[in-house]
Amino acid sequence: EASCPSCRNKTIDSIGRNIDRLDSKHIIIIQGDGIKSISGYFELRKQRRPTHNVVFYDTLGITFVTNMTHRNPSIYYSYDGKVYKKINCSPSSIKRDLRNYFTFG
């Protein structure tokens, strides 16, 4: 809920367009105050909250406490359980970052 509204909207739209193409190599963690508020963001974008098996909801703020995310979306690329690249998305890079994530691998 603290993210840039534009980045949040682009991320939600991108998830909606690509959710059915994701394989087990892709994991999405959505952090928010609760399922109700997260669902509200998807509803505002006229999308249903994904229930796909690669989407996880962090309603306790664990990703924030463990420094995995900040105000805008973060993308991690990993192999064999180790992160080799972290992308902190910004309003100027969010479209490219999301496109790369959803076409990677």
Side-chain angles (χ1 to χ4, degrees), residues 36-90:
K36 187 174 180 178
S37 69
I38 292 170
S39 294
Y41 291 126
F42 280 88
E43 289 170 13
L44 286 173
R45 303 300 300 161
K46 299 187 184 342
Q47 307 232 10
R48 291 176 47 208
R49 181 177 54 85
T51 57
H52 198 280
N53 61 354
V54 297
V55 179
F56 300 91
Y57 296 96
D58 172 16
T59 58
L60 301 176
I62 294 168
T63 53
F64 184 77
V65 171
T66 58
N67 205 26
M68 287 181 66
T69 188
H70 300 284
R71 295 186 61 88
N72 291 327
S74 298
I75 298 172
Y76 290 84
Y77 293 95
S78 66
Y79 178 77
D80 200 22
K82 298 193 186 323
V83 172
Y84 65 87
K85 184 177 184 181
K86 177 182 178 186
I87 306 294
N88 290 317
C89 302
S90 67

Side-chain angles (χ1 to χ4, degrees), residues 13-28 50 52-55 97-105:
D13 293 346
S14 191
I15 290 170
R17 279 192 309 273
N18 295 288
I19 192 69
D20 292 329
R21 297 180 350 180
L22 294 182
D23 58 22
S24 62
K25 293 188 242 175
H26 291 80
I27 297 172
I28 297 173
H52 198 280
N53 61 354
V54 297
V55 179
D97 297 335
L98 290 168
R99 185 175 48 249
N100 290 340
Y101 174 76
F102 285 110
T103 58
F104 185 81

